[in-house]
Amino acid sequence: MDPLKAQLEILRARLQKIDARYQTEPLPETRALPDGVEVRTEDGTHWEIDRHWPAHHRHGTADVGALSELPQDLLAALVNEEGVTVPPERWAFLDTETSGLSGGSGAFAFLVGVGGITANGFVLKQFFMRDHGEEPSMLKALSAYLDQFDLLVTYNGRSFDQPLLETRYRLLRIREPFLRLKHVDLLYSARRLWRLALESCRLQELEQRILGVERHGDVDGQFIPNLYFEYLRTGNFAPLRPVISHNAVDILSLACLTAIVPVAFREPQRLTSGAEMVALARWFRNEGRAEDALMLMRQALKRTLQEPLLYETLWHVADMERKLERHDAAVAVWTELSTIRNPWQAKALERLAIHYERREKNLAMAFEMTLAAQVIEDSEALQKRATRLAKKASGPKSGRLL
């Protein structure tokens, strides 16, 4: 026999022995699916995993048992609807793990987690598809499970998770479950509250900084799609185990943060961080709640603020006082800004010049403020103002009849 053919026969025999061994021996535990059950629907099968955190469990500084005691109208301020009352046990906390972070019709969710609040703690059901063919079954089961909820809570779900799932439902011609659910995307409110206080408003950042949760053995989200495709190729579930845990902790953290964020919007007086106060005050201002914004900003000024934020906040306080026709209050803040070197000093001097010219009719003071502003940050507008004021000040004065 040809030596090469002989070697191939030997290799083939060895491979057959290996195949036979794995056909008769159970897979090692690390390769098996996590504890769960195979669920059969009219569209096939998929895998479901249930998890429960008891009421006495603490997630960082958060008390899981307290979630069931949250008021029914807690999320009304975030939904932007009057009279929204949904009991906490009807809130669904949803997060997905997907085949790609960019979305689009080609991306799909291979894992969908839905958390819920109960009197006995926090429960989580995770829907997992073991291969592409299980997607219809998984989505049908997800729809049925969401029937018990009236309000959806996500983190960036309005831009990512929900549109991605809606696309998959449409492609598979399955009725999607989201039309009747009110949706609170906590990301937007979290950004309003913490974007000035924290470098990032990623969920894991808030989890660590606000809840005090430290993850161990977590998986970076950017690697999750590749881990799933590796599982499809090899059948080895071991690398996906951290993904199941990652999704679970994300959802529990989302629920705990949902208990914190709305309180700031409902009861801003409970805030203690100056940066949080300023951030929320800006949102109040944009919503037309000037008095609430001013109250918060003035409280923030009594706290410790970094200098750039301090001066910017003073500027916004003065501007809102001016718009509310409280000119003396505005002048007091502009004067404070004008005496210290800061990015708003020249603008404050210009505002003072406008005030003295138009309201006080004090051309000399207006001219002095304009010149001071030019020294710091000259502009064409200031040059025109200085020329006009000089001309008005040197012009003939009307006579007075005795």
Side-chain angles (χ1 to χ4, degrees), residues 144-196:
Y145 189 70
L146 288 175
D147 282 344
Q148 65 185 298
F149 301 103
D150 297 319
L151 187 145
L152 186 68
V153 184
T154 65
Y155 202 82
N156 197 32
R158 193 176 294 279
S159 299
F160 183 76
D161 301 86
Q162 181 173 329
L164 183 144
L165 288 172
E166 287 175 336
T167 298
R168 302 309 301 178
Y169 275 107
R170 284 195 297 269
L171 288 174
L172 294 170
R173 298 185 178 181
I174 302 174
R175 184 178 180 181
E176 56 96 352
F178 303 110
L179 290 176
R180 67 172 190 81
L181 294 171
K182 299 183 186 300
H183 189 170
V184 173
D185 190 333
L186 203 68
L187 171 64
Y188 301 104
S189 300
R191 280 177 175 169
R192 291 169 188 151
L193 186 57
W194 288 309
R195 66 186 181 89
L196 297 178

Short mmCIF file of all heavy atoms in Angstrom, two decimals, residues 144-196:
data_model
loop_
_atom_site.label_atom_id
_atom_site.label_comp_id
_atom_site.label_asym_id
_atom_site.label_seq_id
_atom_site.Cartn_x
_atom_site.Cartn_y
_atom_site.Cartn_z
N ALA A 144 -46.00 36.09 24.22
CA ALA A 144 -46.94 35.55 25.21
C ALA A 144 -46.55 35.97 26.63
O ALA A 144 -47.41 36.31 27.45
CB ALA A 144 -47.01 34.04 25.09
N TYR A 145 -45.25 35.98 26.91
CA TYR A 145 -44.79 36.33 28.25
C TYR A 145 -45.04 37.81 28.55
O TYR A 145 -45.38 38.18 29.68
CB TYR A 145 -43.31 36.01 28.39
CG TYR A 145 -42.78 36.12 29.79
CD1 TYR A 145 -43.14 35.19 30.77
CD2 TYR A 145 -41.91 37.15 30.15
CE1 TYR A 145 -42.66 35.29 32.06
CE2 TYR A 145 -41.42 37.25 31.44
CZ TYR A 145 -41.80 36.32 32.40
OH TYR A 145 -41.32 36.42 33.68
N LEU A 146 -44.89 38.67 27.54
CA LEU A 146 -45.08 40.11 27.74
C LEU A 146 -46.53 40.48 27.93
O LEU A 146 -46.83 41.63 28.31
CB LEU A 146 -44.49 40.88 26.55
CG LEU A 146 -42.95 40.92 26.47
CD1 LEU A 146 -42.50 41.60 25.18
CD2 LEU A 146 -42.35 41.63 27.67
N ASP A 147 -47.45 39.56 27.69
CA ASP A 147 -48.87 39.86 27.86
C ASP A 147 -49.21 40.25 29.29
O ASP A 147 -50.20 40.94 29.54
CB ASP A 147 -49.73 38.65 27.45
CG ASP A 147 -49.86 38.52 25.95
OD1 ASP A 147 -49.56 39.51 25.23
OD2 ASP A 147 -50.25 37.43 25.48
N GLN A 148 -48.40 39.82 30.26
CA GLN A 148 -48.70 40.10 31.66
C GLN A 148 -48.21 41.47 32.11
O GLN A 148 -48.40 41.86 33.27
CB GLN A 148 -48.07 39.02 32.55
CG GLN A 148 -46.55 39.00 32.51
CD GLN A 148 -45.95 37.86 33.29
OE1 GLN A 148 -46.12 37.77 34.50
NE2 GLN A 148 -45.28 36.95 32.59
N PHE A 149 -47.57 42.22 31.20
CA PHE A 149 -47.01 43.52 31.54
C PHE A 149 -47.70 44.64 30.76
O PHE A 149 -48.24 44.41 29.67
CB PHE A 149 -45.50 43.55 31.26
CG PHE A 149 -44.72 42.50 32.00
CD1 PHE A 149 -44.29 41.34 31.37
CD2 PHE A 149 -44.43 42.67 33.35
CE1 PHE A 149 -43.57 40.38 32.05
CE2 PHE A 149 -43.71 41.70 34.05
CZ PHE A 149 -43.29 40.55 33.40
N ASP A 150 -47.65 45.86 31.33
CA ASP A 150 -48.25 47.03 30.67
C ASP A 150 -47.23 48.10 30.32
O ASP A 150 -47.54 49.03 29.57
CB ASP A 150 -49.31 47.66 31.58
CG ASP A 150 -50.46 46.71 31.85
OD1 ASP A 150 -50.89 46.02 30.91
OD2 ASP A 150 -50.91 46.65 33.01
N LEU A 151 -46.03 48.01 30.90
CA LEU A 151 -45.03 49.06 30.68
C LEU A 151 -43.67 48.42 30.49
O LEU A 151 -43.29 47.51 31.24
CB LEU A 151 -45.01 50.02 31.87
CG LEU A 151 -44.15 51.27 31.76
CD1 LEU A 151 -44.83 52.45 32.47
CD2 LEU A 151 -42.76 51.05 32.34
N LEU A 152 -42.97 48.86 29.47
CA LEU A 152 -41.64 48.33 29.13
C LEU A 152 -40.57 49.30 29.59
O LEU A 152 -40.66 50.51 29.32
CB LEU A 152 -41.56 48.13 27.61
CG LEU A 152 -40.31 47.45 27.05
CD1 LEU A 152 -40.27 45.99 27.48
CD2 LEU A 152 -40.30 47.56 25.53
N VAL A 153 -39.55 48.79 30.27
CA VAL A 153 -38.41 49.60 30.70
C VAL A 153 -37.15 49.04 30.06
O VAL A 153 -36.87 47.83 30.18
CB VAL A 153 -38.25 49.61 32.24
CG1 VAL A 153 -37.11 50.54 32.65
CG2 VAL A 153 -39.54 50.03 32.92
N THR A 154 -36.39 49.89 29.37
CA THR A 154 -35.16 49.46 28.72
C THR A 154 -34.06 50.49 28.97
O THR A 154 -34.32 51.54 29.57
CB THR A 154 -35.35 49.32 27.19
OG1 THR A 154 -35.62 50.62 26.64
CG2 THR A 154 -36.48 48.36 26.86
N TYR A 155 -32.88 50.18 28.49
CA TYR A 155 -31.78 51.13 28.53
C TYR A 155 -31.22 51.20 27.11
O TYR A 155 -30.57 50.28 26.65
CB TYR A 155 -30.69 50.70 29.52
CG TYR A 155 -29.83 51.85 30.00
CD1 TYR A 155 -30.27 52.67 31.03
CD2 TYR A 155 -28.61 52.14 29.41
CE1 TYR A 155 -29.51 53.74 31.47
CE2 TYR A 155 -27.85 53.21 29.84
CZ TYR A 155 -28.30 54.00 30.87
OH TYR A 155 -27.54 55.07 31.30
N ASN A 156 -31.55 52.25 26.42
CA ASN A 156 -31.27 52.43 24.99
C ASN A 156 -32.15 51.50 24.14
O ASN A 156 -31.86 51.25 22.98
CB ASN A 156 -29.79 52.19 24.66
CG ASN A 156 -29.40 52.75 23.31
OD1 ASN A 156 -29.94 53.77 22.86
ND2 ASN A 156 -28.48 52.10 22.63
N GLY A 157 -33.22 51.01 24.73
CA GLY A 157 -34.09 50.10 24.00
C GLY A 157 -34.94 50.78 22.95
O GLY A 157 -35.33 50.14 21.96
N ARG A 158 -35.22 52.06 23.12
CA ARG A 158 -36.03 52.76 22.12
C ARG A 158 -35.29 52.88 20.80
O ARG A 158 -35.90 52.88 19.72
CB ARG A 158 -36.43 54.15 22.63
CG ARG A 158 -37.51 54.82 21.81
CD ARG A 158 -37.92 56.14 22.44
NE ARG A 158 -38.56 55.96 23.73
CZ ARG A 158 -39.84 55.64 23.90
NH1 ARG A 158 -40.60 55.43 22.84
NH2 ARG A 158 -40.34 55.50 25.11
N SER A 159 -33.97 52.98 20.86
CA SER A 159 -33.17 53.13 19.64
C SER A 159 -32.60 51.81 19.15
O SER A 159 -32.24 51.70 17.97
CB SER A 159 -32.01 54.11 19.89
OG SER A 159 -32.49 55.38 20.25
N PHE A 160 -32.49 50.81 20.04
CA PHE A 160 -31.82 49.58 19.63
C PHE A 160 -32.68 48.32 19.82
O PHE A 160 -33.11 47.70 18.86
CB PHE A 160 -30.50 49.41 20.38
CG PHE A 160 -29.71 48.21 19.96
CD1 PHE A 160 -29.02 48.22 18.76
CD2 PHE A 160 -29.66 47.07 20.74
CE1 PHE A 160 -28.30 47.09 18.34
CE2 PHE A 160 -28.95 45.95 20.35
CZ PHE A 160 -28.27 45.97 19.13
N ASP A 161 -32.94 47.95 21.07
CA ASP A 161 -33.56 46.65 21.33
C ASP A 161 -34.95 46.52 20.69
O ASP A 161 -35.23 45.54 20.00
CB ASP A 161 -33.68 46.42 22.85
CG ASP A 161 -32.33 46.45 23.53
OD1 ASP A 161 -31.87 47.54 23.88
OD2 ASP A 161 -31.74 45.39 23.72
N GLN A 162 -35.82 47.51 20.94
CA GLN A 162 -37.17 47.39 20.42
C GLN A 162 -37.21 47.42 18.89
O GLN A 162 -37.86 46.56 18.28
CB GLN A 162 -38.08 48.48 20.99
CG GLN A 162 -39.52 48.37 20.50
CD GLN A 162 -40.46 49.33 21.18
OE1 GLN A 162 -40.27 49.68 22.34
NE2 GLN A 162 -41.49 49.77 20.47
N PRO A 163 -36.53 48.38 18.20
CA PRO A 163 -36.55 48.35 16.74
C PRO A 163 -35.99 47.05 16.16
O PRO A 163 -36.51 46.55 15.16
CB PRO A 163 -35.68 49.55 16.35
CG PRO A 163 -35.74 50.46 17.51
CD PRO A 163 -35.84 49.57 18.72
N LEU A 164 -34.94 46.51 16.79
CA LEU A 164 -34.37 45.26 16.28
C LEU A 164 -35.38 44.12 16.39
O LEU A 164 -35.58 43.36 15.44
CB LEU A 164 -33.10 44.94 17.05
CG LEU A 164 -32.31 43.70 16.60
CD1 LEU A 164 -30.81 43.94 16.75
CD2 LEU A 164 -32.72 42.45 17.39
N LEU A 165 -36.04 44.02 17.54
CA LEU A 165 -37.03 42.96 17.71
C LEU A 165 -38.22 43.16 16.79
O LEU A 165 -38.75 42.20 16.21
CB LEU A 165 -37.48 42.90 19.17
CG LEU A 165 -36.47 42.34 20.17
CD1 LEU A 165 -36.97 42.52 21.61
CD2 LEU A 165 -36.17 40.87 19.90
N GLU A 166 -38.65 44.41 16.64
CA GLU A 166 -39.77 44.68 15.74
C GLU A 166 -39.45 44.24 14.31
O GLU A 166 -40.30 43.69 13.61
CB GLU A 166 -40.12 46.17 15.77
CG GLU A 166 -40.82 46.61 17.04
CD GLU A 166 -41.04 48.11 17.09
OE1 GLU A 166 -40.29 48.84 16.41
OE2 GLU A 166 -41.93 48.55 17.82
N THR A 167 -38.22 44.48 13.89
CA THR A 167 -37.81 44.06 12.55
C THR A 167 -37.87 42.55 12.40
O THR A 167 -38.35 42.03 11.39
CB THR A 167 -36.37 44.55 12.26
OG1 THR A 167 -36.35 45.98 12.30
CG2 THR A 167 -35.90 44.07 10.89
N ARG A 168 -37.41 41.83 13.43
CA ARG A 168 -37.44 40.37 13.36
C ARG A 168 -38.88 39.85 13.35
O ARG A 168 -39.20 38.90 12.63
CB ARG A 168 -36.68 39.76 14.54
CG ARG A 168 -35.23 40.18 14.66
CD ARG A 168 -34.45 40.00 13.37
NE ARG A 168 -34.44 38.62 12.89
CZ ARG A 168 -33.87 38.23 11.77
NH1 ARG A 168 -33.30 39.13 10.98
NH2 ARG A 168 -33.88 36.96 11.41
N TYR A 169 -39.75 40.47 14.13
CA TYR A 169 -41.16 40.06 14.11
C TYR A 169 -41.77 40.28 12.72
O TYR A 169 -42.50 39.42 12.21
CB TYR A 169 -41.95 40.87 15.15
CG TYR A 169 -41.91 40.29 16.55
CD1 TYR A 169 -41.16 40.90 17.55
CD2 TYR A 169 -42.64 39.16 16.87
CE1 TYR A 169 -41.13 40.38 18.84
CE2 TYR A 169 -42.62 38.63 18.15
CZ TYR A 169 -41.86 39.25 19.14
OH TYR A 169 -41.82 38.71 20.41
N ARG A 170 -41.46 41.43 12.12
CA ARG A 170 -42.02 41.71 10.79
C ARG A 170 -41.48 40.73 9.75
O ARG A 170 -42.24 40.24 8.90
CB ARG A 170 -41.70 43.14 10.38
CG ARG A 170 -42.56 44.19 11.08
CD ARG A 170 -42.46 45.53 10.40
NE ARG A 170 -41.11 46.07 10.45
CZ ARG A 170 -40.66 46.87 11.40
NH1 ARG A 170 -41.47 47.22 12.40
NH2 ARG A 170 -39.43 47.32 11.40
N LEU A 171 -40.18 40.45 9.79
CA LEU A 171 -39.59 39.54 8.81
C LEU A 171 -40.18 38.14 8.91
O LEU A 171 -40.33 37.44 7.90
CB LEU A 171 -38.07 39.48 9.01
CG LEU A 171 -37.28 40.73 8.58
CD1 LEU A 171 -35.81 40.59 8.97
CD2 LEU A 171 -37.40 40.96 7.08
N LEU A 172 -40.53 37.74 10.13
CA LEU A 172 -41.09 36.40 10.33
C LEU A 172 -42.63 36.41 10.30
O LEU A 172 -43.26 35.38 10.54
CB LEU A 172 -40.61 35.83 11.67
CG LEU A 172 -39.10 35.56 11.75
CD1 LEU A 172 -38.69 35.23 13.17
CD2 LEU A 172 -38.70 34.45 10.81
N ARG A 173 -43.19 37.60 10.03
CA ARG A 173 -44.64 37.76 9.92
C ARG A 173 -45.35 37.30 11.19
O ARG A 173 -46.36 36.60 11.16
CB ARG A 173 -45.18 37.01 8.70
CG ARG A 173 -44.61 37.56 7.39
CD ARG A 173 -45.24 36.91 6.19
NE ARG A 173 -44.70 37.49 4.96
CZ ARG A 173 -45.09 37.13 3.73
NH1 ARG A 173 -46.01 36.18 3.57
NH2 ARG A 173 -44.56 37.70 2.67
N ILE A 174 -44.77 37.74 12.32
CA ILE A 174 -45.36 37.48 13.63
C ILE A 174 -45.78 38.81 14.22
O ILE A 174 -45.05 39.80 14.12
CB ILE A 174 -44.35 36.79 14.57
CG1 ILE A 174 -43.86 35.47 13.96
CG2 ILE A 174 -44.97 36.54 15.94
CD1 ILE A 174 -42.75 34.81 14.76
N ARG A 175 -46.95 38.86 14.82
CA ARG A 175 -47.43 40.12 15.40
C ARG A 175 -46.53 40.52 16.57
O ARG A 175 -46.31 39.73 17.50
CB ARG A 175 -48.87 39.94 15.89
CG ARG A 175 -49.48 41.22 16.42
CD ARG A 175 -50.92 40.99 16.83
NE ARG A 175 -51.53 42.20 17.36
CZ ARG A 175 -52.76 42.28 17.81
NH1 ARG A 175 -53.53 41.18 17.81
NH2 ARG A 175 -53.23 43.41 18.27
N GLU A 176 -46.02 41.74 16.53
CA GLU A 176 -45.11 42.17 17.59
C GLU A 176 -45.89 42.64 18.81
O GLU A 176 -47.02 43.13 18.69
CB GLU A 176 -44.17 43.26 17.06
CG GLU A 176 -44.85 44.48 16.46
CD GLU A 176 -44.96 45.61 17.46
OE1 GLU A 176 -44.65 45.38 18.64
OE2 GLU A 176 -45.37 46.70 17.05
N PRO A 177 -45.31 42.54 20.00
CA PRO A 177 -46.04 42.78 21.25
C PRO A 177 -45.91 44.18 21.82
O PRO A 177 -46.41 44.45 22.92
CB PRO A 177 -45.39 41.77 22.20
CG PRO A 177 -43.96 41.72 21.74
CD PRO A 177 -44.00 41.91 20.24
N PHE A 178 -45.23 45.09 21.12
CA PHE A 178 -44.84 46.36 21.74
C PHE A 178 -45.85 47.49 21.56
O PHE A 178 -45.76 48.50 22.26
CB PHE A 178 -43.48 46.81 21.20
CG PHE A 178 -42.39 45.80 21.41
CD1 PHE A 178 -41.85 45.12 20.33
CD2 PHE A 178 -41.94 45.50 22.67
CE1 PHE A 178 -40.85 44.17 20.50
CE2 PHE A 178 -40.95 44.55 22.87
CZ PHE A 178 -40.41 43.88 21.78
N LEU A 179 -46.80 47.35 20.64
CA LEU A 179 -47.70 48.46 20.34
C LEU A 179 -48.51 48.90 21.56
O LEU A 179 -48.76 50.09 21.75
CB LEU A 179 -48.65 48.06 19.20
CG LEU A 179 -48.00 47.93 17.81
CD1 LEU A 179 -49.03 47.44 16.80
CD2 LEU A 179 -47.41 49.25 17.36
N ARG A 180 -48.92 47.97 22.38
CA ARG A 180 -49.79 48.33 23.50
C ARG A 180 -48.99 48.72 24.75
O ARG A 180 -49.58 49.21 25.73
CB ARG A 180 -50.72 47.15 23.84
CG ARG A 180 -49.98 45.96 24.38
CD ARG A 180 -50.90 44.86 24.89
NE ARG A 180 -50.11 43.85 25.61
CZ ARG A 180 -49.72 44.00 26.86
NH1 ARG A 180 -50.06 45.07 27.55
NH2 ARG A 180 -48.98 43.06 27.44
N LEU A 181 -47.68 48.50 24.75
CA LEU A 181 -46.88 48.76 25.95
C LEU A 181 -46.36 50.19 25.98
O LEU A 181 -45.78 50.67 25.00
CB LEU A 181 -45.68 47.80 25.99
CG LEU A 181 -45.97 46.32 26.17
CD1 LEU A 181 -44.71 45.49 25.98
CD2 LEU A 181 -46.56 46.05 27.54
N LYS A 182 -46.56 50.88 27.08
CA LYS A 182 -45.87 52.15 27.29
C LYS A 182 -44.39 51.83 27.45
O LYS A 182 -44.03 50.79 27.97
CB LYS A 182 -46.41 52.87 28.53
CG LYS A 182 -47.89 53.20 28.44
CD LYS A 182 -48.33 53.96 29.67
CE LYS A 182 -49.84 54.18 29.66
NZ LYS A 182 -50.28 54.96 28.48
N HIS A 183 -43.53 52.75 26.99
CA HIS A 183 -42.10 52.45 26.97
C HIS A 183 -41.33 53.56 27.68
O HIS A 183 -41.43 54.75 27.32
CB HIS A 183 -41.62 52.32 25.51
CG HIS A 183 -40.22 51.82 25.38
ND1 HIS A 183 -39.66 51.45 24.19
CD2 HIS A 183 -39.23 51.62 26.30
CE1 HIS A 183 -38.41 51.05 24.36
NE2 HIS A 183 -38.13 51.16 25.66
N VAL A 184 -40.56 53.19 28.68
CA VAL A 184 -39.64 54.11 29.35
C VAL A 184 -38.22 53.67 29.01
O VAL A 184 -37.80 52.58 29.39
CB VAL A 184 -39.84 54.10 30.88
CG1 VAL A 184 -38.75 54.93 31.56
CG2 VAL A 184 -41.20 54.66 31.23
N ASP A 185 -37.50 54.50 28.26
CA ASP A 185 -36.09 54.25 27.98
C ASP A 185 -35.29 55.05 29.00
O ASP A 185 -35.19 56.27 28.90
CB ASP A 185 -35.73 54.67 26.55
CG ASP A 185 -34.34 54.20 26.14
OD1 ASP A 185 -33.49 54.04 27.04
OD2 ASP A 185 -34.09 54.02 24.94
N LEU A 186 -34.73 54.37 29.97
CA LEU A 186 -34.09 55.05 31.10
C LEU A 186 -32.83 55.79 30.70
O LEU A 186 -32.35 56.66 31.43
CB LEU A 186 -33.78 54.02 32.20
CG LEU A 186 -33.62 54.59 33.61
CD1 LEU A 186 -34.95 55.11 34.12
CD2 LEU A 186 -33.07 53.54 34.56
N LEU A 187 -32.27 55.46 29.54
CA LEU A 187 -31.03 56.10 29.11
C LEU A 187 -31.18 57.62 29.04
O LEU A 187 -30.30 58.36 29.49
CB LEU A 187 -30.60 55.57 27.74
CG LEU A 187 -29.43 56.29 27.06
CD1 LEU A 187 -28.15 56.15 27.88
CD2 LEU A 187 -29.21 55.76 25.65
N TYR A 188 -32.29 58.10 28.48
CA TYR A 188 -32.46 59.54 28.28
C TYR A 188 -32.52 60.28 29.62
O TYR A 188 -31.90 61.33 29.79
CB TYR A 188 -33.71 59.80 27.45
CG TYR A 188 -33.68 59.13 26.10
CD1 TYR A 188 -34.41 57.97 25.85
CD2 TYR A 188 -32.88 59.64 25.08
CE1 TYR A 188 -34.35 57.34 24.61
CE2 TYR A 188 -32.83 59.01 23.83
CZ TYR A 188 -33.57 57.86 23.61
OH TYR A 188 -33.51 57.23 22.39
N SER A 189 -33.26 59.73 30.56
CA SER A 189 -33.36 60.37 31.87
C SER A 189 -32.04 60.28 32.63
O SER A 189 -31.66 61.22 33.33
CB SER A 189 -34.48 59.71 32.68
OG SER A 189 -35.71 59.84 32.02
N ALA A 190 -31.34 59.16 32.48
CA ALA A 190 -30.05 59.00 33.15
C ALA A 190 -29.05 60.03 32.62
O ALA A 190 -28.25 60.59 33.39
CB ALA A 190 -29.53 57.58 32.95
N ARG A 191 -29.07 60.26 31.33
CA ARG A 191 -28.17 61.25 30.75
C ARG A 191 -28.48 62.65 31.28
O ARG A 191 -27.58 63.43 31.59
CB ARG A 191 -28.28 61.24 29.23
CG ARG A 191 -27.49 60.12 28.56
CD ARG A 191 -27.71 60.14 27.07
NE ARG A 191 -26.88 59.15 26.38
CZ ARG A 191 -27.03 58.82 25.11
NH1 ARG A 191 -28.01 59.40 24.38
NH2 ARG A 191 -26.25 57.92 24.55
N ARG A 192 -29.78 62.98 31.36
CA ARG A 192 -30.15 64.30 31.88
C ARG A 192 -29.64 64.49 33.30
O ARG A 192 -29.24 65.58 33.69
CB ARG A 192 -31.68 64.43 31.87
CG ARG A 192 -32.29 64.52 30.49
CD ARG A 192 -33.81 64.39 30.58
NE ARG A 192 -34.41 64.28 29.26
CZ ARG A 192 -35.54 63.64 29.02
NH1 ARG A 192 -36.17 63.03 30.00
NH2 ARG A 192 -36.04 63.59 27.80
N LEU A 193 -29.65 63.41 34.06
CA LEU A 193 -29.31 63.52 35.47
C LEU A 193 -27.82 63.44 35.74
O LEU A 193 -27.30 64.16 36.60
CB LEU A 193 -30.03 62.40 36.23
CG LEU A 193 -29.93 62.39 37.75
CD1 LEU A 193 -30.44 63.70 38.32
CD2 LEU A 193 -30.72 61.21 38.31
N TRP A 194 -27.09 62.59 35.00
CA TRP A 194 -25.70 62.29 35.37
C TRP A 194 -24.65 62.67 34.33
O TRP A 194 -23.46 62.44 34.56
CB TRP A 194 -25.56 60.80 35.69
CG TRP A 194 -26.21 60.43 36.99
CD1 TRP A 194 -26.02 61.03 38.21
CD2 TRP A 194 -27.16 59.38 37.21
NE1 TRP A 194 -26.79 60.41 39.17
CE2 TRP A 194 -27.49 59.40 38.59
CE3 TRP A 194 -27.74 58.41 36.39
CZ2 TRP A 194 -28.40 58.50 39.15
CZ3 TRP A 194 -28.64 57.52 36.95
CH2 TRP A 194 -28.96 57.57 38.31
N ARG A 195 -25.04 63.25 33.21
CA ARG A 195 -24.04 63.50 32.17
C ARG A 195 -22.99 64.52 32.60
O ARG A 195 -21.87 64.51 32.08
CB ARG A 195 -24.71 63.96 30.87
CG ARG A 195 -25.40 65.30 30.95
CD ARG A 195 -26.16 65.60 29.67
NE ARG A 195 -26.82 66.89 29.70
CZ ARG A 195 -26.25 68.01 29.30
NH1 ARG A 195 -25.00 67.98 28.86
NH2 ARG A 195 -26.89 69.15 29.36
N LEU A 196 -23.30 65.39 33.54
CA LEU A 196 -22.32 66.36 34.03
C LEU A 196 -21.49 65.80 35.18
O LEU A 196 -20.39 66.28 35.44
CB LEU A 196 -23.01 67.64 34.48
CG LEU A 196 -23.77 68.42 33.41
CD1 LEU A 196 -24.44 69.64 34.01
CD2 LEU A 196 -22.83 68.85 32.28
#
